[in-house]
C-alpha cells in the first residue's frame, strides 16, 4: 500500500508539466477555537488552515479532540470561542446549514447511513440539497422532478462507477460488510460534489486490503475531482503517505503542524504520540 | 484395447446463414461483411452508468477502423505483436481486431497476473505495443518496462489516475481514435487496403497457455485455425445471429476467444460484457444469454446458493421445490433429450416448469440458454444433471488451446455425465499406445511461438497433437478422460492407476473436500481424505454430535462410517469400468488437518501437490501400506491463518474398505 500511495503522490507533485498548482490558496482557517463540554476542555485555542486541493490530516491520541475539531468545522458543534474563516467569509460559529450549502461534506466515524435503503438511494440522498423541484413534481415524476431525477441519477451513477460499487447498487446498506458501508458513505458525501470533504476515520476497522482500496479512492477523489480533504486517521502509514500536511493535536491543543516529514521529526510529537525515539 | 484406431467426425454441410470462409478468410474481412450483413444489429453491449449500451456491427467496424488508423500512425507494422491486458471490455475485444486489421498479432495476457507474470509473455513475444484497460495495468507495465526493451507504446482505455502520468509513450485510447478518424477522413481506404492484405494462413493470435510446469508457451493460431474451429462449433450447435452471450471469462483464455470473438464474428451474434467482475450474476439475469459457458466451479456455486436459500424458504415453497426437483431428476433429462416420457409425468413436469423450474431459471438468468458448455475440470454428475433436469441444455466439452478449443463435444440427445462427448466436426481422434489422447483437426495450432522443440514434441509430422491426457473411447463412441498422462501410473499387478479419476469420483460427494490417492508402484490403491467441514459439520449438528475441532471431527467413528460408505460406492463404480476396476481403494484415512496452500500442500489454484504431500506425510503412507497397522501417526508443522506456526501431532485410524469384483472379467491389465 505504501508503495502505490506514494507513487501516486510523487507523480502528482513532481510532475513538471502536469498540474503545477494542485495545492492552491487557503480556503479554510480555523481561528483560535476553544470548545468546552461543561468543565471539560475538548479543544483549547487551536488554529490551523487548509489549502485548496490538499489532503490535510488531523492526528492525535484518543481524546485529543480530532472528531470534535471536525464537528466544529462542519458546524455540528458550536465552540465557545474562536471562528472559522471559509472561502472569504468568517463564521463564528459555523452552522450546519452554512457548511452543507457551502460545499462541506463529511463521513462519520460510526457509519451514519440509512440501513434499510439501497446503496443507490443512500447516495441519492447526497444530492438532496441540489434538488429544486417541488414535492408534487417529485411525487408524480413530472416537469423538473423528472429532469432533475435523471440528472442526479447520472451523477450518482458516476460516483458508483468511481467507487466501483456497481455490484451492490441495489443492495440494502444494512446487509453490506463494514468496509463497503464505509465506501457507500464516502459515495454519499461525494454525491454532494463537496469543495471540502471531511473524513472521520475512513479506515477504522478495515483490513489491509480494504485500507489499500480506501487509500486509493481518497487519492483519486483528491486528484480526479480536485476535492480538498481533511482526514482523521489512526494508521500512521496511511497518514504519512496520503497527506500533504498534518496537524497534530494532543489533549485539545495544537502540538505540531507541518508536512509529514516535519511532523515525523518533531520531538514533541515523537514523545507524545509516536513513541520516544533514541538517536 | 482400443489401440490406434481413429475416430473421426465428418465435416458438416456448410450453413447458408454463415459466411463463406473462403471469401471472408480473416476476422477483419468478416467484420466488414458483418457491418453490411448485420449493420444495425447489436454486436456488443456493455453497461455504462447502470444502463446497457449497445454497439451495432456497423459502429464497431467504424470504431475498429478509426482505432486501427490511429495505431498505424503510432507505428504498428505487419507482424508486430500487440499485448492486450484488461477485463472483458468491448474496447479490449476491438483491439484484437485492430491488430488483425493491420497484420499485427494480438497477444492477450491474463489481466489478474502480477507484473512478474506479465513480463514473460511480453518479452518472449517481443511485444512493441500494449493496449491496456486501466491504471492498474499501466502501473504493472511501467514497473517492468525497463526489462522490456522492445515495448515502445502503451495505450490505456480508462484515464482515471493515469491522466497525470508524464511518460510520453502513454496514450489515451480516445486520443488515438480521434487521430485515427482524422486520418481516415483524409484517406478513407487507409485501413481497407491493410485488411485486404490479410491471408487465411496468417497468424491471427498468440495466446499463452498458463502452463503448470515451466514457462508458458505461446500458441500460434492462424485465421484458418480459429475460424474453421469456431465455424465447425457453430454449425454443430446451430448458432445463429440472434444468439447472445456474456463474456466474463478472461480474454486471454482461448475459450473466450472462440466463444466471445470467433463465433460472434462468424455468426454475427451479440456479446455482452458484464459491468464488472462482481456483477456477473446480476448481469446474467438481466441479459438472459442463449449461449453460455462456465467452468464447473461456477455451476457448483450457483447450485449451492440455490440449495442454501431453499433451506431458508417457507415450508410450502420448500416442499414444492423438493417434490418437483425429485420429479425432474426422474424425467427432466429424458424430456430434454427428447425421449419418450409418459403423459402424467410430462404434465407433472409441465406444472413443475410453471411453478419451480421456470422461476428458478429466470432468477439464475438461464431461461433462454439453448447451449451451455462446461469444461476445464470434471463436473460432478449431480451438479450436471441438476441443470439438465430443469431444462438447461448443459453439455461437456473437451478442448485445448492447441486445438482452438474443440476436440470433442457432447451432441444433443447423447449426453452422459461421465464422458466428454464425440469428436467435433472435422476432428480426428486417436488413442496412442500409451493411452494418451491425440487429435488432428483444422484447428490444430501452427507452432509454439519461438519454441520449435516444444512444437516438435507436441505435434507429429502429419499433424497429430498430443494432449497429455490419458483417456479411452467407450463403446458408445464417446471419449472419456481419465487423468493427465504423466500422473497415470500402474499398480504392481499392472493395473492402470489414474489418481485424479479416483479422486474426482470421491470429491463429488459434498462431505469430501479433498482426496489424495496413492498407488503407483504399490500393491493397491489407498488414499488420504479431507472431510468438508461445512457439510460434515452441519451433519454433526443435526445429529447432535458435538466436536471441538476439525481434527476432532475427522477422528470420529461416525464420520469414518459416512466416508467409508462413499468409498465403497466409488469402488462399486470403479468395478464397472474395465480399465480401472483393479484400482479400487483398499484403505483410507481421514487427514487430521485440511490440506492448505499456506503449508505448500496445494497450489494457489487449489491443485494437490502430490510429491510434496507424499514426502510430508510419509509415515501415514507407510501405515496405509503396512497391513498390520490400524493407525498412523504424524508430526508436522502447520501454519495458522494469521501466519503463526504450530505443531500437529496426531494419530489417525486407518480403515479397510470392501472391494468388488469387476464386471468386465477380473483384474485385467488394461493399459497393456
Amino acid at each position: 500500500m505504501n508503495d502505490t500511495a506514494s507513487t501516486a503522490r510523487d507523480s502528482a507533485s513532481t510532475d513538471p508539466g502536469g498540474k503545477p498548482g494542485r495545492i492552491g490558496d487557503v480556503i479554510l482557517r480555523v481561528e483560535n477555537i476553544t470548545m468546552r463540554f461543561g468543565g471539560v476542555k475538548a479543544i483549547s485555542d487551536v488554529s490551523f488552515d487548509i489549502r485548496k486541493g490538499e489532503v490535510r490530516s488531523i492526528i492525535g491520541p484518543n481524546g485529543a479532540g480530532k472528531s470534535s475539531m471536525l464537528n466544529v468545522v462542519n458546524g455540528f458543534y458550536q465552540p465557545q470561542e474562536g471562528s472559522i474563516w471559509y472561502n472569504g467569509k468568517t463564521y463564528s460559529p459555523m452552522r450546519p446549514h452554512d457548511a452543507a450549502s457551502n460545499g462541506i461534506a463529511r463521513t462519520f466515524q460510526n457509519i451514519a447511513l440509512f440501513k434499510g435503503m439501497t446503496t443507490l438511494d443512500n447516495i441519492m440522498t447526497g444530492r438532496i440539497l441540489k434538488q429544486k423541484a417541488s414535492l408534487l413534481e417529485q411525487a408524480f415524476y413530472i416537469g423538473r422532478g423528472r429532469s432533475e431525477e435523471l440528472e442526479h441519477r447520472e451523477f450518482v451513477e458516476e460516483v458508483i462507477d468511481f467507487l466501483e460499487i456497481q455490484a451492490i447498487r441495489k443492495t440494502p446498506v444494512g446487509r453490506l460488510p463494514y468496509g463497503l458501508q464505509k465506501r457507500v458513505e464516502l459515495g454519499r458525501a461525494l454525491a454532494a460534489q463537496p469543495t471540502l470533504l471531511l473524513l472521520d476515520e475512513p479506515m477504522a476497522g478495515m483490513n489491509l486490503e480494504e485500507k489499500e482500496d480506501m487509500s486509493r479512492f481518497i487519492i483519486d477523489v483528491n486528484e480526479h475531482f480536485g476535492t480538498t480533504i481533511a482526514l482523521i486517521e489512526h494508521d500512521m502509514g496511511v497518514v504519512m503517505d496520503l497527506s500533504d500536511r498534518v496537524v497534530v493535536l494532543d489533549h485539545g491543543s495544537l502540538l505540531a503542524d507541518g508536512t509529514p516529514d516535519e511532523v515525523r521529526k518533531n520531538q514533541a510529537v515523537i514523545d507524545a504520540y509516536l513513541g520516544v525515539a533514541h538517536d | 484395447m482400443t489401440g490406434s484406431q481413429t475416430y473421426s467426425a465428418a465435416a458438416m454441410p456448410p450453413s447458408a446463414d454463415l459466411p463463406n470462409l473462403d471469401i471472408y478468410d480473416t476476422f477483419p474481412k468478416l467484420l466488414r461483411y458483418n457491418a453490411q450483413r448485420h449493420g444495425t444489429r447489436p454486436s456488443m453491449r456493455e453497461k455504462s452508468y447502470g444502463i446497457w449500451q449497445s454497439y451495432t456491427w456497423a459502429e464497431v467496424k467504424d470504431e475498429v477502423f478509426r482505432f486501427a488508423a490511429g495505431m498505424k500512425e503510432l507505428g504498428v507494422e505487419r507482424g508486430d505483436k500487440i499485448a492486450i491486458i484488461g477485463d472483458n471490455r468491448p474496447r479490449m475485444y476491438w483491439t484484437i481486431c485492430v491488430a488483425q486489421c493491420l497484420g499485427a498479432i494480438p497477444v492477450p495476457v491474463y489481466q489478474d497476473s502480477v507484473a512478474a507474470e506479465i513480463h514473460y509473455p511480453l518479452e518472449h513475444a517481443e511485444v512493441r505495443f500494449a493496449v491496456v484497460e486501466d491504471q492498474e495495468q499501466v502501473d504493472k507495465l511501467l514497473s517492468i518496462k525497463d526489462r522490456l526493451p522492445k515495448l515502445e507504446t502503451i495505450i490505456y482505455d480508462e484515464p482515471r489516475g493515469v491522466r497525470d502520468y508524464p511518460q510520453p509513450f502513454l496514450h489515451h485510447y480516445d486520443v488515438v481514435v480521434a487521430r485515427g478518424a482524422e486520418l481516415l477522413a483524409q484517406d478513407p481506404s487507409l485501413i481497407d487496403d491493410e485488411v485486404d492484405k490479410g491471408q487465411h494462413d496468417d497468424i491471427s493470435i498468440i495466446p499463452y497457455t498458463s502452463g503448470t510446469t515451466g514457462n508458458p508457451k505461446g500458441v500460434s493460431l492462424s485465421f484458418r485455425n480459429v475460424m474453421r474451429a469456431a465455424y465447425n462449433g457453430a454449425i454443430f450447435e446451430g448458432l445463429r445471429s440472434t444468439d447472445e452471450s456474456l463474456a466474463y471469462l478472461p480474454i486471454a483464455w482461448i475459450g473466450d476467444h472462440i466463444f466471445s470473438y470467433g463465433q460472434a464474428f462468424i455468426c454475427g451474434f451479440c456479446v455482452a460484457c458484464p459491468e464488472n467482475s462482481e456483477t456477473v450474476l446480476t448481469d446474467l439475469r438481466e441479459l438472459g444469454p442463449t449461449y453460455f459457458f462456465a467452468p464447473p466451479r461456477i455451476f457448483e456455486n450457483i447450485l449451492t446458493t440455490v440449495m442454501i436459500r431453499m433451506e431458508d424458504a417457507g415450508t410450502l415453497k420448500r416442499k414444492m421445490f423438493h417434490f418437483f426437483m425429485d420429479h425432474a431428476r426422474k424425467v427432466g433429462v429424458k424430456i430434454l433429450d427428447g425421449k419418450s416420457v409418459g403423459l402424467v409425468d410430462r404434465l407433472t413436469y409441465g406444472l413443475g416448469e410453471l411453478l419451480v423450474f421456470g422461476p428458478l431459471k429466470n432468477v439464475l438468468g438461464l431461461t433462454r440458454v439453448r447451449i451451455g458448455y462446461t469444461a476445464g475440470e470434471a463436473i460432478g454428475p449431480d451438479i450436471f444433471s441438476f441443470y439438465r433436469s430443469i431444462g438447461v441444455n448443459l453439455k461437456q466439452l473437451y478442448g485445448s488451446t492447441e486445438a482452438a478449443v474443440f476436440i470433442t463435444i457432447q451432441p444433443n440427445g447423447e449426453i452422459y455425465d461421465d464422458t466428454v462427448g464425440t469428436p467435433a466436426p472435422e476432428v480426428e481422434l486417436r488413442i496412442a499406445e500409451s493411452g494418451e489422447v491425440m487429435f488432428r483437426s483444422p484447428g490444430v495450432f501452427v507452432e509454439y511461438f519461438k519454441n520449435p522443440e516444444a512444437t516438435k514434441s507436441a505435434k507429429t509430422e502429419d499433424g497429430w497433437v498430443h494432449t497429455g491426457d490419458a483417456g479411452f473411447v467407450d463403446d458408445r463412441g464417446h471419449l472419456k478422460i481419465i487423468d493427465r498422462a504423466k500422473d497415470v501410473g500402474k499398480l504392481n499387478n499392472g493395473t492402470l492407476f489414474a489418481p485424479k479419476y479416483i479422486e474426482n469420483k470421491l470429491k463429488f460427494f459434498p462431505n469430501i473436500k479433498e482426496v489424495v490417492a496413492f498407488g503407483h508402484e504399490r500393491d493397491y490403491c489407498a488414499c488420504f481424505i479431507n472431510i468438508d467441514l461445512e457439510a460434515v459439520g452441519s451433519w454433526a449438528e443435526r445429529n447432535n454430535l458435538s466436536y471441538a475441532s476439525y481434527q476432532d471431527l475427522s477422528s470420529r467413528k461416525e464420520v469414518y462410517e459416512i466416508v467409508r460408505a462413499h468409498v465403497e460406492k466409488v469402488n462399486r463404480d470403479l468395478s464397472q469400468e474395465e480399465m480401472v476396476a483393479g484400482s479400487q481403494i483398499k484403505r483410507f484415512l481421514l487427514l487430521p488437518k485440511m490440506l492448505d496452500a499456506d503449508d505448500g500442500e496445494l497450489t494457489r489454484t487449489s491443485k494437490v501437490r502430490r510429491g510434496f504431500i507424499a514426502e510430508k506425510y510419509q509415515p501415514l503412507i507407510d501405515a496405509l501400506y503396512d497391513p498390520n497397522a490400524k493407525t498412523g501417526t504424524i508430526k508436522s508443522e502447520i501454519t495458522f491463518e494469521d501466519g503463526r506456526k504450530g505443531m500437529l501431532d496426531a494419530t489417525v485410524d486407518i480403515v479397510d474398505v470392501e472391494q468388488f469384483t469387476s464386471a468386465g472379467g477380473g483384474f485385467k491389465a488394461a493399459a497393456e
Side-chain angles (χ1 to χ4, degrees), chain B residues 106-119:
Chain B
V107 178
V109 178
Y110 285 89
Q111 78 281 8
D112 53 359
S113 312
V114 296
E117 290 166 317
I118 287 180
H119 178 257

Side-chain angles (χ1 to χ4, degrees), chain A:
Chain A
M1 170 188 63
N2 298 0
D3 281 353
T4 52
S6 57
T7 319
R9 296 277 85 175
D10 294 346
S11 74
S13 48
T14 56
D15 174 13
K19 290 185 291 182
R22 182 171 74 84
I23 296 173
D25 297 333
V26 172
I27 57 162
L28 181 131
R29 248 195 325 266
V30 174
E31 289 163 343
N32 309 97
I33 295 284
T34 297
M35 172 89 219
R36 276 180 235 103
F37 296 103
V40 183
K41 229 179 191 181
I43 305 173
S44 52
D45 196 24
V46 170
S47 305
F48 62 89
D49 59 25
I50 299 179
R51 289 175 172 276
K52 186 161 178 43
E54 76 176 339
V55 177
R56 185 73 147 127
S57 290
I58 305 175
I59 63 171
N62 284 331
K66 305 181 298 290
S67 291
S68 301
M69 195 67 241
L70 280 200
N71 284 333
V72 167
V73 169
N74 84 331
F76 190 63
Y77 288 168
Q78 269 112 43
Q80 281 80 4
E81 291 164 35
S83 57
I84 307 273
W85 179 90
Y86 176 67
N87 252 349
K89 250 178 103 177
T90 303
Y91 301 87
S92 63
M94 176 79 85
R95 308 250 171 217
H97 62 87
D98 293 330
S101 55
N102 285 300
I104 300 180
R106 74 169 294 179
T107 66
F108 295 84
Q109 192 175 347
N110 320 313
I111 295 167
L113 290 165
F114 302 101
K115 303 270 181 206
M117 277 161 50
T118 63
T119 298
L120 180 66
D121 289 339
N122 264 290
I123 299 180
M124 280 296 268
T125 60
R127 302 291 292 175
I128 276 178
L129 275 180
K130 303 202 179 289
Q131 291 177 353
K132 305 277 180 292
S134 67
L135 179 67
L136 274 180
E137 283 172 321
Q138 292 194 2
F140 293 100
Y141 196 51
I142 48 170
R144 272 186 308 178
R146 186 187 169 95
S147 58
E148 274 189 345
E149 170 98 11
L150 290 176
E151 179 195 320
H152 292 312
R153 174 70 189 269
E154 189 177 342
F155 187 80
V156 166
E157 284 293 342
E158 250 174 74
V159 170
I160 289 177
D161 184 64
F162 186 83
L163 294 174
E164 296 165 15
I165 46 179
Q166 298 98 330
I168 54 165
R169 190 185 276 128
K170 301 272 172 71
T171 314
V173 165
R175 294 219 314 250
L176 297 174
Y178 184 77
L180 278 178
Q181 292 197 12
K182 281 271 188 193
R183 221 190 280 182
V184 175
E185 202 181 28
L186 176 61
R188 183 178 60 183
L190 284 181
Q193 288 173 289
T195 330
L196 174 62
L197 179 60
L198 312 176
L199 303 176
D200 195 349
E201 299 201 24
M203 287 166 234
M206 286 191 173
N207 64 28
L208 184 65
E209 199 189 337
E210 291 171 326
K211 278 186 184 177
E212 284 178 13
D213 285 348
M214 194 48 114
S215 302
R216 168 62 53 198
F217 287 126
I218 292 172
I219 293 172
D220 284 349
V221 167
N222 178 241
E223 286 180 359
H224 187 89
F225 296 111
T227 311
T228 309
I229 291 171
L231 172 76
I232 296 181
E233 184 49 54
H234 275 299
D235 186 319
M236 278 308 119
V238 169
V239 169
M240 296 303 172
D241 274 346
L242 294 184
S243 316
D244 295 295
R245 291 190 300 155
V246 180
V247 179
V248 190
L249 300 181
D250 189 21
H251 293 106
S253 29
L254 187 83
L255 203 59
D257 184 357
T259 65
D261 270 342
E262 288 164 5
V263 167
R264 208 181 276 136
K265 288 181 193 134
N266 184 308
Q267 198 55 44
V269 177
I270 296 174
D271 292 349
Y273 186 61
L274 297 173
V276 180
H278 304 280
D279 291 326

